[in-house]
Amino acid sequence: MRKSLLFLFILLVPDITRAQSTTAIKDALGRELILHGLNTSGSAKSDTAHMPWIKESDVEREHTQFGFNTVRLLIFWGAIEPEEGVYNEHYLAEVKKRVEWYTSRHMYVIFDMHQDVFGYGIGDNGAPPWAAAHDAVIKHLIPNKWPWWMKNLEPKIIKSYVQFFTYKKHKNRQQHYIACWQKVAGMFKDNPYVIGYDLMNEPHGGRVIKTLAGGFERRQLSAMYKRLIPAIRAIDTTHYIFFEPRSFGVNFGMSSHLPKVYDTPAGHPKLVYSAHCYLKFVDIGGDYKPKHVKEMPHWFAARDRELKKQQCPLMIGEFGLSPKKKDFDAYLHDLFRLADERHASWSYWSNDHGGWSPLKPDGAPTPILQELLRVYPQATAGHLLSYSYDPALKAFEMEFVSDSSIKGNTEIAVPRSLFPNGYKLVVTGTTPWASQADDRTNTLKISVTENRAHVVVKLSPE
Ligand code: 9MR
């Protein structure tokens, strides 16, 4: 009896994983997309103009050398609406300029309405000072040398979050937040490479116990999304909406309590579930220890359960660690392997100068960059069944079912520096097929004429 139960379980498990892959982010041609890129950038939080450090040439480098097709671009409510009801048009124009550095190269932009510790003037960054529960810059009770997140325990920060999420009493705050998003959506709705809007970075409910126990996600966060999503849809019906669970605990691998999020109009959801992966306490300086090796699959298993409810693709909107930590490379390998199995997109935290960044202040790579350079299917003209990349062997494999009604090629990112002596390409399962390497963008285009062919693509060093 036991044996037969086990057999049944083994039979069912692959089906569960396969069910996840039926939902995908798609481009205008109908190709299934996988997004890889950087969070750009942490430094913008404290920059006086709220701008990332990058120049256009840095974007060009990401596009042509690193194989990234996406950026998660930080923007801030406090920068957009520094005074109640007054938008900073200059800031928005500067954002637009940077957006176009990416989108003119056909890289995708995800706007991340960032916040940490509620907002400017009170905690760290995000909301404008006028939206906080306390309107003066406060003297922090938590010492600066403590992990930054601990400031969330300060009473005035808690009160600010609680007021923001208590809609009935403080409608004004959310109404302005919603209007701020509508302003952004109005500016970018016609840019096809702005792929979506990440509604709120790492939502937090203020009261830690209530947040952990689920009340915050079940009621306030879910209700906020129910107001915000239709408001964005009134302006823009085409771009994806990226929504996050609460950050506290979920980032470590605990389960989220967020009820199913619905898009409008019903029946054509364009939603992406965007969770952050920071195993405890790797992100605040710990090494990648054997216990974490077990925790990583737990983090993904929690997301699998949530995706069964949410029924949409997964994005790992943030993950990152110091390259000085022991086994940082194993951490990233494990994360990428599990992400690829689920066809999850990702953006690394963060694109800055030094620290956890893939780049040093002089632009030279840190050891992180080497790990982020991967072969992956940026766009699949059909249904992607599986893909994997082994960084030790530099071996890539993907399987997909072709769809000849899609007027576009399958495109694979092949960062040039991975294959100094070139690579071998083997395509099986269909004839005829053709390939074309774009040396400028480091992408390999594969075209298949047959419909519903089960195509296998393998790539390895020459
Ligand atoms: O890495 C960032 C750290 O240097 C800052 O002090 C802190 C507060 O601004 O933010 C850290 O970045 C976090 C990001 O904003 C949200 N997700 C977790 C990131 C790492 O802790």
Side-chain angles (χ1 to χ4, degrees):
M1 179 63 186
R2 268 204 189 148
K3 264 193 188 158
S4 58
L5 271 179
L6 183 70
F7 182 64
L8 190 69
F9 179 74
I10 291 167
L11 268 181
L12 286 174
V13 167
D15 276 354
I16 291 167
T17 359
R18 209 158 271 257
Q20 304 298 339
S21 67
T22 56
T23 51
I25 305 175
K26 290 189 179 172
D27 68 5
L29 299 175
R31 296 181 298 179
E32 295 187 6
L33 301 179
I34 301 294
L35 311 177
H36 283 188
L38 303 174
N39 279 276
T40 302
S41 56
S43 65
K45 297 173 187 177
S46 54
D47 180 75
T48 47
H50 306 286
M51 285 295 132
W53 60 271
I54 51 158
K55 297 190 293 295
E56 187 167 8
S57 55
D58 298 299
V59 177
E60 174 70 3
R61 195 168 165 218
E62 283 182 37
H63 176 55
T64 58
Q65 293 178 28
F66 303 164
F68 296 143
N69 60 350
T70 302
V71 62
R72 182 171 179 259
L73 193 69
L74 278 74
I75 54 172
F76 308 90
W77 179 21
I80 298 170
E81 195 185 1
E83 316 247 335
E84 191 169 351
V86 183
Y87 293 124
N88 184 342
E89 299 291 347
H90 175 72
Y91 169 74
L92 288 166
E94 289 295 315
V95 169
K96 187 162 184 278
K97 194 156 98 191
R98 279 146 187 90
V99 164
E100 282 162 8
W101 292 347
Y102 293 95
T103 61
S104 62
R105 290 171 169 79
H106 294 184
M107 286 178 79
Y108 294 108
V109 174
I110 302 164
F111 280 116
D112 155 38
M113 197 67 83
H114 206 85
Q115 67 85 30
D116 300 288
V117 201
F118 191 76
Y120 286 109
I122 181 162
D124 197 304
N125 66 86
W130 61 262
H134 192 266
D135 58 9
V137 175
I138 56 165
K139 193 173 174 323
H140 288 292
L141 309 170
I142 303 284
N144 268 338
K145 60 175 189 253
W146 289 18
W148 66 267
W149 197 91
M150 303 296 279
K151 291 203 170 70
N152 278 317
L153 304 177
E154 303 221 12
K156 281 171 185 135
I157 303 293
I158 295 174
K159 200 168 167 197
S160 297
Y161 277 121
V162 169
Q163 288 191 356
F164 179 86
F165 282 106
T166 313
Y167 186 71
K168 276 198 183 138
K169 270 204 196 152
H170 303 275
K171 287 198 173 100
N172 175 45
R173 311 271 163 86
Q174 279 191 37
Q175 282 171 349
H176 278 270
Y177 192 75
I178 290 169
C180 167
W181 261 123
Q182 288 185 310
K183 174 86 180 162
V184 173
M187 278 182 76
F188 295 100
K189 67 182 170 54
D190 296 324
N191 184 334
Y193 288 93
V194 169
I195 197 150
Y197 310 122
D198 187 339
L199 301 180
M200 178 178 277
N201 180 66
E202 301 199 342
H204 179 59
R207 295 192 187 106
V208 171
I209 303 296
K210 197 174 168 196
T211 300
L212 275 180
F216 164 63
E217 286 180 289
R218 283 200 196 97
R219 289 185 287 278
Q220 285 97 341
L221 184 60
S222 166
M224 197 271 274
Y225 288 163
K226 278 186 191 150
R227 291 180 200 104
L228 180 51
I229 294 173
I232 292 179
R233 286 298 181 228
I235 310 281
D236 177 348
T237 51
T238 56
H239 294 351
Y240 280 87
I241 287 182
F242 292 67
F243 65 96
E244 301 190 23
R246 75 172 199 276
S247 57
F248 190 57
V250 173
N251 287 9
F252 302 152
M254 289 168 71
S255 294
S256 158
H257 303 281
L258 186 65
K260 183 167 168 57
V261 170
Y262 291 93
D263 199 355
T264 36
H268 300 281
K270 290 193 87 173
L271 297 171
V272 180
Y273 186 48
S274 182
H276 295 183
C277 180
Y278 290 108
L279 300 186
K280 57 176 188 309
F281 292 98
V282 176
D283 67 317
I284 54 167
D287 291 331
Y288 188 43
K289 298 188 182 129
K291 70 174 175 111
H292 293 121
V293 178
K294 291 197 198 111
E295 278 178 21
M296 189 74 87
H298 285 165
W299 187 93
F300 278 93
R303 304 299 80 84
D304 289 346
R305 288 193 298 276
E306 291 147 14
L307 285 169
K308 275 209 270 173
K309 173 167 52 182
Q310 300 296 352
Q311 289 290 310
C312 63
L314 175 65
M315 166 105 196
I316 308 169
E318 282 186 29
F319 60 97
L321 79 172
S322 164
K324 295 200 179 106
K325 291 296 139 196
K326 193 164 159 289
D327 291 334
F328 78 92
D329 48 349
Y331 184 97
L332 295 173
H333 294 174
D334 288 354
L335 187 146
F336 290 143
R337 180 176 48 77
L338 292 159
D340 289 356
E341 279 173 20
R342 288 157 177 82
H343 307 184
S345 293
W346 54 252
S347 46
Y348 181 80
W349 183 269
S350 63
N351 183 13
D352 277 291
H353 277 157
W356 300 359
S357 175
L359 300 170
K360 290 184 189 161
D362 62 1
T366 72
I368 293 284
L369 183 67
Q370 199 50 37
E371 306 306 325
L372 303 186
L373 300 179
R374 292 177 71 85
V375 183
Y376 67 101
Q378 293 186 328
T380 302
H383 178 48
L384 181 59
L385 296 173
S386 67
Y387 66 98
S388 62
Y389 173 68
D390 180 333
L393 301 174
K394 296 189 177 165
F396 168 78
E397 184 167 338
M398 80 182 274
E399 286 185 45
F400 69 98
V401 178
S402 63
D403 180 344
S404 60
S405 69
I406 294 176
K407 304 279 166 267
N409 298 317
T410 291
E411 290 182 10
I412 303 170
V414 189
R416 184 180 312 145
S417 60
L418 293 175
F419 302 97
N421 304 318
Y423 56 80
K424 268 198 310 267
L425 170 70
V426 178
V427 178
T428 51
T430 189
T431 43
W433 61 272
S435 74
Q436 192 199 348
D438 182 332
D439 288 337
R440 201 185 76 78
T441 59
N442 285 211
T443 46
L444 176 67
K445 297 180 177 27
I446 297 189
S447 65
V448 166
T449 33
E450 199 181 345
N451 192 32
R452 299 206 54 78
H454 186 130
V455 186
V456 180
V457 179
K458 289 187 185 179
L459 204 139
S460 55
E462 201 51 271

